[in-house]
Amino acid sequence: MLLGGKMNKLRKVMKKKITWFFILLVAFIYVNNSSFLVKHGNKKSFLLAHRGLAQTFPMEGITGETNTAQRIYKPEHPYLENTIPSMEAAFKAGADIVEFDVQLTKDGQMAIFHDASLEYRTNGKGNIREYTMKELKKFDIGYGYTADNGKTFPFRGKGIDLMPSLDEVMNYFPKSSFLIHIKSNDAKESEVLAEYLNNLPKDRLTKLIVYGANEPIDVIKKKIPDLRVMSKATMKKALISYLAIGWTGYMPASMKNTYLHLPQKYARVLWGWPNRFIQRMDDANSLFVIVAGDGQWSEGFDTVEDLKQIPANYSGGIWTNRIDRIAHLFKSNDR
């Protein structure tokens, strides 16, 4: 009886200690991942302009094969995506980073163009890889754009000599920040890009990010270890490791010196979202950008109404397709 009484008392003590342990653990996790103690200072959101200042289109029903040039909205500005004028307009409007797409040419240069094929947007035929950079400049990259099912083509004749090379963009914007999208899964393309980037000054590389499919990005990362990159593989590794141990405040190696973009609805599950998480990314020399929609396509925060979805005091990146519509709100602090 005496022994049984002691055992019951011991069990009660242990149960009480375990209960307190879990209470303290939950309290620690809550406080350690709360944003209310984060000092905001003067840091503000940064804006990423997708394809510069481009013609936009409805996202409903699109697939990987959709010719988006044939379904644009009625033009509100004269710019065509992935061109130096569109990038310049985006930066002047207030973009901090501009995203563009690269394709390998016949003569081993990197052309700035969205599609591997020329048929959708230009008056050319075949693939980018079948032409030299000099030959590509002869095509009219505004040829295929229409907002009324082919009745009119408002940009025909206006896109000749507008397809730039990567070298032209880097020389025209020597200090600007860019997100470079490798469109191909071919390792050769990433090797050409890596060789080009490796010849740039190291301080220039700090303002560049490269993203794309797993294999090309793996090649880029091996050749330029300090460059910020993103693929599905790097993102998956980073997020799984962070979800496993990020509640402690520790940033795993896969979250350091990297780049991530995620739809906001998924970002909400990240430990410390939003402000504590962004602070950790800053401390890890990493960049984080939220995109709209479900992440399948390049939906952006393109209107004043869209911006109302973003958490208060959010200081990470914001993906937009209409930098001209939203940038002024950040300059005026009216959000």
Side-chain angles (χ1 to χ4, degrees), residues 305-322:
E305 288 300 312
D306 291 339
L307 293 177
K308 293 178 181 179
Q309 304 171 36
I310 299 174
N313 298 314
Y314 172 75
S315 59
I318 297 171
W319 184 287
T320 182
N321 297 297
R322 289 302 302 263

Side-chain angles (χ1 to χ4, degrees), residues 183-200:
K183 300 293 290 187
S184 169
N185 291 332
D186 188 347
K188 180 182 177 182
E189 183 165 325
S190 55
E191 288 172 358
V192 172
L193 178 60
E195 182 179 357
Y196 177 85
L197 296 178
N198 256 328
N199 288 322
L200 296 177

Side-chain angles (χ1 to χ4, degrees), residues 102-121:
V102 292
Q103 306 279 354
L104 185 64
T105 69
K106 183 179 180 179
D107 56 340
Q109 295 193 58
M110 303 302 294
I112 310 302
F113 195 68
H114 182 268
D115 307 322
S117 172
L118 290 166
E119 275 89 350
Y120 280 0
R121 302 175 194 278

Side-chain angles (χ1 to χ4, degrees), residues 63-315:
T63 70
E65 303 302 319
T66 301
N67 182 352
T68 56
Q70 290 190 351
R71 56 183 294 169
I72 61 170
Y73 292 118
K74 184 178 179 180
E76 297 178 8
H77 60 74
Y79 301 105
L80 295 172
E81 65 182 51
N82 284 315
T83 63
I84 286 178
S86 80
M87 297 176 197
E88 189 168 41
F91 283 126
K92 285 183 178 178
D96 299 288
I97 302 174
V98 165
E99 189 263 8
F100 61 73
D101 309 300
V102 292
Q103 306 279 354
L104 185 64
T105 69
K106 183 179 180 179
D107 56 340
Q109 295 193 58
M110 303 302 294
I112 310 302
F113 195 68
H114 182 268
D115 307 322
S117 172
L118 290 166
E119 275 89 350
Y120 280 0
R121 302 175 194 278
T122 83
N123 56 337
K125 294 183 178 181
N127 293 328
I128 293 284
R129 289 193 177 199
E130 298 171 5
Y131 297 90
T132 66
M133 194 67 235
K134 184 177 181 179
E135 291 169 335
L136 288 168
K137 286 185 173 295
K138 297 178 181 179
F139 293 121
D140 179 3
I141 65 170
Y143 187 86
Y145 287 83
T146 179
D148 52 14
N149 296 313
K151 295 178 183 178
T152 61
F153 293 85
F155 295 103
R156 278 193 178 176
K158 300 177 181 179
I160 299 171
D161 201 32
L162 277 187
M163 187 190 302
S165 68
L166 177 60
D167 195 46
E168 287 176 308
V169 170
M170 291 295 104
N171 288 330
Y172 195 90
F173 302 99
K175 297 182 180 179
S176 300
S177 296
F178 291 103
L179 173 62
I180 303 171
H181 188 187
I182 302 179
K183 300 293 290 187
S184 169
N185 291 332
D186 188 347
K188 180 182 177 182
E189 183 165 325
S190 55
E191 288 172 358
V192 172
L193 178 60
E195 182 179 357
Y196 177 85
L197 296 178
N198 256 328
N199 288 322
L200 296 177
K202 287 187 177 180
D203 61 338
R204 187 72 185 94
L205 290 178
T206 63
K207 293 191 173 184
L208 302 179
I209 308 162
V210 180
Y211 78 116
N214 294 340
E215 290 185 20
I217 292 303
D218 187 51
V219 170
I220 294 283
K221 192 63 177 176
K222 286 178 180 177
K223 291 184 177 292
I224 318 176
D226 294 332
L227 184 69
R228 294 189 183 105
V229 299
M230 188 189 81
S231 67
K232 285 186 178 180
T234 65
M235 181 167 59
K236 182 178 179 180
K237 181 178 180 181
L239 293 177
I240 289 176
S241 59
Y242 184 73
L243 289 173
I245 61 175
W247 60 273
T248 66
Y250 175 76
M251 290 291 277
S254 56
M255 290 287 285
K256 296 177 181 178
N257 193 41
T258 192
Y259 167 78
L260 294 172
H261 64 235
L262 275 179
Q264 180 170 279
K265 65 180 183 179
Y266 301 135
R268 293 191 185 102
V269 306
L270 297 170
W271 295 110
W273 177 260
N275 300 324
R276 178 73 71 183
F277 172 73
I278 296 299
Q279 183 184 63
R280 289 170 181 166
M281 290 290 283
D282 290 343
D283 293 342
N285 193 38
S286 294
L287 293 179
F288 181 82
V289 173
I290 50 173
V291 300
D294 60 8
Q296 186 177 5
W297 308 110
S298 301
E299 295 178 66
F301 294 88
D302 299 339
T303 67
V304 175
E305 288 300 312
D306 291 339
L307 293 177
K308 293 178 181 179
Q309 304 171 36
I310 299 174
N313 298 314
Y314 172 75
S315 59

